[in-house]
Amino acid sequence: MKTPAVNITNRLNDLASLLKEKMQNRKTFLLTDESVHLHCLGLLIESIGVDHGIEIIEVEDGENSKSIEIFHHICEHLAELEAGKDDLLICLGGGMVTDLGGFIGATYKRGIAYVHVPTSLLAMIDAANGGKNGLNLGPIKNAVGTIANPEAVFIYPPFLQTLPEIELRSGFAEVIKHGIISGGNFWKKITEIEELTPESLIPLIPDAYKVKETITSEDLFEKGPRKKLNLGHTIGHALESHYLTENDVITHGEAVALGIICETLISRKRETLSANDAITIIDIVQRWFDVESYFLPEYNHIRKFLYQDKKNINHELRLVLPFAIGSVEYNIQVEEETVRNCYEHFRNFERKENTSIAHYLVSTM
Ligand SMILES: NC(=O)c1ccc[n+]([C@@H]2O[C@H](COP(=O)([O-])OP(=O)(O)OC[C@H]3O[C@@H](n4cnc5c(N)ncnc54)[C@H](O)[C@@H]3O)[C@@H](O)[C@H]2O)c1
């Protein structure tokens, strides 16, 4: 499969030129959500120029738009507008829009041309890259989807200026995940971050992007090493699914952050991770995601979602675990009792004075 052209530019005019080139002689459709419409679309349309008629398709913000019903509705709309195979779909938004738009791009008329213009940190460094797209099946995350590359990914980091702080933090969870996978200098840069602002995070985008690009270029279809990118996601997706069922709100990154802590504890319990590295990882996650502020459901409430995980083999749990900072392993078969015990240990801890949460969690296992 062709790899997409990727451009990271801080100049809006460059972004507009790249898009105009793609739009030449093509009818253009642009998928976005309400908030991105409000904060980013006007800017983009203005710099592209009003003479390029673009048909805007807008969905509501949030995971509920990544559904079969919305997909159906948009495909019908595209058909009414006589969108053809040679036309262009621009997916402008966070990971929700790039997942939904990518699935439409890959399947409508068996595939039309599409490009991603990610606007959230999470989409810039993760969701818009690597070709995965998907829809949720009710609360089951990404149950339906394909792996298909867009023609191009155009990253304009200044879009982050309007991204709410909670969403910057959400994206930072995936940055931390990439740091645990890569280790080295990138991990060091992550540990040195003192505040989560567009200014502090924009310099991390090229490195964070590169970690994913290197892995997915070797294993696009996730036969092996790409699974490492699912660190934190077995528990994370199960939590996200549970919260979706309860109509409660947790960002994707918050769920992944909690998942990383829990999967770090599981690796420590199995003695495949040193206590030092476990404490370091949990400390960094805890610094930006205060675990005491989350109400975690009992294990039995997330269990059914763990068994929906796409990485499972023969209906048995297979986890992605950190073995060290800079070393992540996949397809690890873990006894359910270990998963349950570590999750419940994490869920039920009580802070002890004069001890960091990370130290306490690891030393009392
Ligand atoms: N395909 C993949 O490889 C992959 C990888 C990781 C995550 N994902 C998926 O990505 C989704 C999460 O993505 P997300 O965190 O970007 O969430 P999101 O797309 O729901 O965006 C979060 C919120 O931020 C708003 N927003 C986005 N950009 C903005 C901007 N520049 N200014 C103001 N508001 C802005 C959105 O409107 C939304 O309200 C999940 O569905 C997850 O499953 C996919």
Side-chain angles (χ1 to χ4, degrees):
M1 191 183 294
K2 236 176 136 189
T3 40
V6 178
N7 288 75
I8 305 181
T9 174
N10 285 319
R11 289 164 45 102
L12 192 56
N13 280 345
D14 289 351
L15 173 63
S17 303
L18 288 163
L19 285 171
K20 275 198 275 195
E21 207 175 296
K22 288 283 167 201
M23 288 160 60
Q24 260 173 23
N25 305 322
R26 286 163 151 177
K27 214 192 263 183
T28 302
F29 302 87
L30 184 147
L31 177 70
T32 193
D33 67 18
E34 285 171 324
S35 296
V36 176
H37 190 159
L38 186 68
H39 295 288
C40 310
L41 183 62
L43 210 64
L44 187 66
I45 296 285
E46 197 180 315
S47 66
I48 289 176
V50 278
D51 51 330
H52 291 81
I54 298 178
E55 193 75 48
I56 310 296
I57 303 170
E58 184 190 296
V59 296
E60 284 179 18
D61 288 19
E63 277 300 298
N64 288 336
S65 287
K66 243 176 78 173
S67 70
I68 289 178
E69 294 74 21
I70 299 287
F71 163 74
H72 180 184
H73 181 73
I74 295 173
C75 288
E76 274 187 343
H77 189 52
L78 286 171
E80 277 162 20
L81 296 172
E82 298 179 0
K85 249 186 112 51
D86 300 328
D87 294 329
L88 178 71
L89 176 68
I90 299 173
C91 308
L92 176 76
M96 184 280 283
V97 167
T98 57
D99 270 10
L100 171 65
F103 188 69
I104 294 165
T107 56
Y108 175 75
K109 304 231 167 179
R110 296 210 187 97
I112 57 169
Y114 63 103
V115 300
H116 285 331
V117 183
T119 59
S120 69
L121 176 64
L122 189 140
M124 290 179 192
I125 62 117
D126 198 344
N129 309 305
K132 276 191 187 175
N133 54 54
L135 304 177
N136 304 326
L137 203 56
I140 305 170
K141 288 276 304 178
N142 306 333
V144 176
T146 74
I147 296 182
N149 272 324
E151 275 194 10
V153 182
F154 298 142
I155 302 175
Y156 174 65
F159 274 141
L160 297 187
Q161 294 297 346
T162 55
L163 189 69
E165 197 269 343
I166 185 172
E167 299 299 342
L168 270 181
R169 242 163 15 92
S170 176
F172 194 59
E174 299 281 17
V175 175
I176 295 174
K177 178 198 77 182
H178 288 185
I180 298 168
I181 293 169
S182 79
N185 202 31
F186 183 47
W187 174 255
K188 187 165 172 283
K189 284 188 198 168
I190 291 170
T191 62
E192 287 166 356
I193 290 284
E194 286 176 359
E195 52 175 8
L196 298 186
T197 59
E199 291 68 32
S200 64
L201 295 173
I202 285 174
L204 297 181
I205 291 175
D207 282 347
Y209 168 81
K210 192 77 196 152
V211 173
K212 180 153 185 185
E213 202 257 343
T214 307
I215 293 176
T216 53
S217 63
E218 280 170 16
D219 180 25
L220 184 67
F221 291 101
E222 201 165 303
K223 299 291 179 219
R226 183 172 182 166
K227 292 182 184 176
K228 292 179 187 181
L229 291 164
N230 288 301
L231 176 66
H233 283 66
T234 304
I235 304 283
H237 273 160
L239 284 171
E240 216 180 341
S241 293
H242 170 77
Y243 281 95
L244 273 173
T245 327
E246 301 280 301
N247 274 332
D248 210 342
V249 181
I250 186 168
T251 64
H252 180 71
E254 286 173 313
V256 169
L258 298 169
I260 291 175
I261 295 184
C262 206
E263 292 170 17
T264 297
L265 292 172
I266 293 170
S267 192
R268 178 65 204 132
K269 183 79 181 167
R270 299 178 72 252
E271 300 188 346
T272 47
L273 177 69
S274 72
N276 259 350
D277 277 2
I279 291 171
T280 307
I281 292 171
I282 297 173
D283 252 341
I284 290 291
V285 179
Q286 164 67 21
R287 189 180 301 167
W288 302 108
F289 299 87
D290 178 8
V291 299
E292 286 178 301
S293 63
Y294 298 97
F295 177 76
L296 294 177
E298 284 173 25
Y299 177 81
N300 286 341
H301 289 155
I302 63 163
R303 184 179 184 277
K304 63 174 181 289
F305 296 118
L306 292 176
Y307 281 90
Q308 291 286 348
D309 193 279
K310 292 190 282 301
K311 296 179 298 303
N312 294 343
I313 299 177
N314 294 332
H315 306 282
E316 286 175 348
L317 296 179
R318 296 295 165 112
L319 269 68
V320 181
L321 298 178
F323 276 31
I325 294 164
S327 168
V328 166
E329 297 294 330
Y330 52 92
N331 280 350
I332 311 287
Q333 192 170 3
V334 182
E335 292 290 315
E336 189 183 2
E337 266 323 282
T338 309
V339 178
R340 179 193 292 272
N341 290 342
C342 290
Y343 177 83
E344 287 297 339
H345 173 62
F346 175 44
R347 195 173 80 82
N348 290 317
F349 82 93
E350 280 177 29
R351 185 194 272 272
K352 289 274 177 295
E353 280 192 20
N354 302 326
T355 315
S356 77
I357 288 178
H359 191 273
Y360 178 76
L361 278 172
V362 171
S363 63
T364 54
M365 292 196 74

